[in-house]
Amino acid sequence: MSTAPLSQTTSVEVYDTTLRDGAQQEGMNLSVADKLAIAPLLDELGVTSIEGGWPGAIPKDTEFFAKAAKELTLHNAELAAFGSTRKPGTRAHQDTQVRALVDSEAPIITLVAKSDIRHVERALRTTAEENLAMIADTVSYLRDQGRRVVLDAEHFFDGYRYDPTYALRAVTTALEAGADVVALCDTNGGMLPDWVHEIVTAVAARTDGTLGIHAHNDSGCAVANSMAAVAAGARQVQGCVNGYGERTGNADLLAVVANLELKLGLRTLSGAGLEEVTRIAHAVSEITNIAPFARQPYIGASAFAHKAGLHASAIRIDPDLYQHIDPRQVGNDMRMLVSDMAGRASIELKGRELGFDLAGQPDLLGRITTRVKDAEANGYTFDAADASFDLLLREEVSGRRPSYFRVESWRAIVEHGGTPNGTDADVSSEATVKLYAGDTRVVSTGEGNGPVNALDHALRLALGTAYPQIEDFELIDYKVRLLDSAHGTDAITRVLIEHTDGQRSWSTVGVGGNLLEASWEALVDGMVYGLLLGEVEPL
């Protein structure tokens, strides 16, 4: 295999295993419909191959491939069906699991095979020579059926470190039988980049064929190990969107691809490319129902979020001084976080982000900076509550806070009705809100699953007639944190609430001596800001 230096003409295949290996993540349960929805997103991104699952072994995956053959149109990627080599003591054409791979109609078949002699003898319980025969027979059979074959050499790196001769024989056997790619697998995820580079270099020098890398993240090195393998000669990278996978996950394929393209100038994606990677990653998160990781490299909400005032001062002059790439290259944005660490430069940049030009107004900037620091000292946080900070800015800039209603009073009660010993209890929550919307006094009562939910319902009912837009508002996230928890139940409470109107989302913060007081503040701010977004004129 060629180990010529990397250049901008070097192409690296991108093999996505989100639908198979990624789906093994704890708490993830992808339906056939989920897989059919994710596959077009991966294809749009422009990966080379999409591993759909294990037909013949998992009924849901058999159904996926049957439906994919009729319903799925891919423009950039090809489907791969995953399975294992034939069983010991039989032939590939007689193995029902191997025949199921052919029946899947997938143009690519990926076989997992043992390459660690210890696994051959102890887990597979066969001989070294029979395992090699299983590899050769299955690869040859699938090639004769007109399929391209990828062989995943399971536990390869651990096996190579124990017995390099046998691990290498497994690779050369697959290549000689016609495998298009042999992916070297760090199945246990314990390798380090230097080890990977050394081993892949050695294998590449002794084989003539395309090598790939399949890394797990148990040592926190999956992305680095994938990069090391490419530097040593691998020309296929395997991984999962958002780093999904069992245990600590597979290599985050999006970080690997971004590194290969932006840092090394290699060609990887053939579709929409990196500028759409953030959008597509978040779309996949919606389908998997696993919240995006804010600190995920390149595409996380915090990937280009700056908090320290020193950073902000430099960013105001040149954003590149504190960012390793332009966020737009991966479809992300720079954000300025406002906190007690912020200086005037942070406030000015955050104001600009929200549409306020604070440049050349030192007194105003000074007041806002002081107010932010005082508020954070009392428990508020604005780095995750842009809407509350926007309202604060409006109040300081114009001298008044936007107002749509005036609250007279509110209350919430929780009633526990049950047997004397507390069993079979029926707990109900009810809230009453009294306010003025314009000149109209409104008294509204709401019930809910808990006192905060009841307050939310009562507030919506009270405002619904005057502001019908509120019907579209939905509370989508609610976080509570006790501050100075050494005081136990007497601690100050901070609440963060996220709302959406179906098109945009916004977050508000409330702080109070109890949960309800903090929640009420965040709820009210959320309603006010939502009406502002809807371009409703304040009173």
Side-chain angles (χ1 to χ4, degrees):
M1 178 179 177
S2 173
T3 56
L6 298 172
S7 70
Q8 291 188 355
T9 61
T10 302
S11 178
V12 178
E13 294 183 4
V14 180
Y15 185 104
D16 182 277
T17 182
T18 302
L19 303 184
R20 201 274 306 175
D21 220 357
Q24 298 185 59
Q25 176 165 315
E26 183 178 4
M28 186 185 296
N29 184 20
L30 297 180
S31 66
V32 173
D34 291 335
K35 291 191 173 191
L36 290 171
I38 291 173
L41 293 169
L42 302 175
D43 180 58
E44 180 186 356
L45 184 61
V47 303
T48 311
S49 309
I50 299 171
E51 189 175 82
W54 192 330
I58 302 175
K60 185 167 55 176
D61 290 349
T62 304
E63 181 185 353
F64 166 77
F65 280 99
K67 288 193 172 183
K70 298 176 181 178
E71 303 174 13
L72 199 58
T73 300
L74 301 178
H75 302 284
N76 300 300
E78 290 186 300
L79 275 183
F82 179 88
S84 68
T85 56
R86 67 162 172 82
K87 294 179 177 65
T90 184
R91 295 301 304 273
H93 70 275
Q94 299 171 328
D95 192 299
T96 57
Q97 187 272 147
V98 174
R99 291 205 307 270
L101 295 174
V102 176
D103 293 341
S104 73
E105 300 185 42
I108 301 171
I109 306 297
T110 299
L111 297 171
V112 62
K114 303 294 185 186
S115 58
D116 183 335
I117 188 61
R118 295 168 296 183
H119 283 261
V120 172
E121 296 174 344
R122 301 177 198 173
L124 204 55
R125 296 186 178 181
T126 192
T127 65
E129 294 304 318
E130 173 63 4
N131 179 60
L132 297 178
M134 291 159 57
I135 293 173
D137 183 27
T138 311
V139 171
S140 297
Y141 171 72
L142 292 173
R143 290 286 298 184
D144 290 343
Q145 298 300 309
R147 308 305 167 87
R148 295 192 300 284
V149 178
V150 175
L151 186 114
D152 280 2
E154 188 181 38
H155 296 283
F156 176 81
F157 290 96
D158 290 312
Y160 188 94
R161 286 164 64 87
Y162 178 76
D163 184 346
T165 301
Y166 187 79
L168 189 60
R169 287 185 68 193
V171 172
T172 55
T173 297
L175 291 172
E176 290 168 0
D180 295 87
V181 179
V182 173
L184 310 179
C185 301
D186 181 18
T187 310
N188 291 342
M191 291 296 109
L192 298 178
D194 286 349
W195 302 351
V196 170
H197 189 278
E198 178 183 353
I199 292 172
V200 175
T201 299
V203 175
R206 291 169 174 79
T207 58
D208 184 17
T210 302
L211 300 178
I213 177 67
H214 180 109
H216 286 255
N217 201 41
D218 299 73
S219 62
C221 294
V223 171
N225 286 341
S226 299
M227 299 294 295
V230 171
R235 292 298 176 261
Q236 183 190 81
V237 291
Q238 297 191 4
C240 298
V241 168
N242 299 326
Y244 296 145
E246 64 180 331
R247 306 189 311 276
T248 59
N250 289 51
D252 181 352
L253 197 60
L254 304 180
V256 173
V257 167
N259 283 337
L260 292 176
E261 288 205 9
L262 298 177
K263 306 297 185 179
L264 300 181
L266 307 185
R267 293 184 289 112
T268 58
L269 302 175
S270 60
L274 287 181
E275 290 185 359
E276 298 297 326
V277 71
T278 298
R279 174 182 64 82
I280 289 173
H282 290 176
V284 173
S285 292
E286 288 295 320
I287 298 170
T288 62
N289 198 31
I290 295 176
F293 178 43
R295 294 172 61 196
Q296 187 174 350
Y298 288 103
I299 66 170
S302 299
F304 303 96
H306 303 275
K307 191 169 185 175
L310 179 61
H311 286 209
S313 297
I315 287 170
R316 185 173 55 180
I317 300 169
D318 183 354
D320 292 340
L321 292 174
Y322 276 97
Q323 296 183 155
H324 69 113
I325 66 163
D326 183 342
R328 292 172 294 184
Q329 291 180 281
V330 290
N332 208 341
D333 293 310
M334 182 185 77
R335 293 192 303 123
M336 295 307 304
L337 305 181
V338 177
S339 73
D340 59 356
M341 295 175 64
R344 297 188 181 199
S346 295
I347 301 294
E348 181 180 338
L349 286 169
K350 186 64 180 180
R352 185 186 306 167
E353 180 184 321
L354 297 174
F356 297 88
D357 185 3
L358 305 177
Q361 303 183 69
D363 292 341
L364 176 60
L365 276 172
R367 289 203 313 271
I368 296 171
T369 303
T370 299
R371 182 169 172 182
V372 166
K373 291 180 182 291
D374 289 345
E376 294 236 352
N378 289 320
Y380 288 84
T381 179
F382 295 106
D383 55 7
D386 277 2
S388 290
F389 182 68
D390 185 295
L391 294 175
L392 182 152
L393 280 182
R394 290 174 187 271
E395 184 175 350
E396 289 294 334
V397 170
S398 66
R400 64 188 299 268
R401 193 177 187 84
S403 176
Y404 292 94
F405 51 90
R406 179 169 57 86
V407 178
E408 179 181 311
S409 66
W410 59 268
R411 67 176 182 178
I413 59 174
V414 177
E415 184 176 2
H416 183 286
T419 56
N421 63 2
T423 59
D424 300 323
D426 182 15
V427 179
S428 61
S429 298
E430 179 181 291
T432 300
V433 171
K434 300 178 183 180
L435 55 76
Y436 287 87
D439 296 327
T440 304
R441 183 174 185 267
V442 182
V443 178
S444 179
T445 299
E447 296 179 326
N449 181 21
V452 176
N453 187 231
L455 272 174
D456 184 32
H457 287 171
L459 182 58
R460 291 169 182 271
L461 288 172
L463 297 174
T465 300
Y467 305 109
Q469 299 89 341
I470 284 178
E471 185 178 347
D472 297 328
F473 296 178
E474 181 183 357
L475 194 157
I476 57 174
D477 198 10
Y478 178 84
K479 298 185 179 74
V480 178
R481 182 174 178 182
L482 293 180
L483 307 175
D484 192 15
S485 57
H487 289 93
T489 56
D490 192 34
I492 297 295
T493 303
R494 179 170 68 213
V495 168
L496 290 166
I497 291 180
E498 185 175 4
H499 283 91
T500 183
D501 59 4
Q503 299 178 350
R504 300 154 296 191
S505 63
W506 60 95
S507 298
T508 55
V509 61
V511 173
N514 59 70
L515 175 66
L516 293 182
E517 183 182 351
S519 299
W520 175 257
E521 182 181 12
L523 283 171
V524 168
D525 276 6
M527 294 295 173
V528 170
Y529 193 75
L531 292 171
L532 276 173
L533 283 181
E535 298 182 350
V536 179
E537 284 296 323
L539 298 176

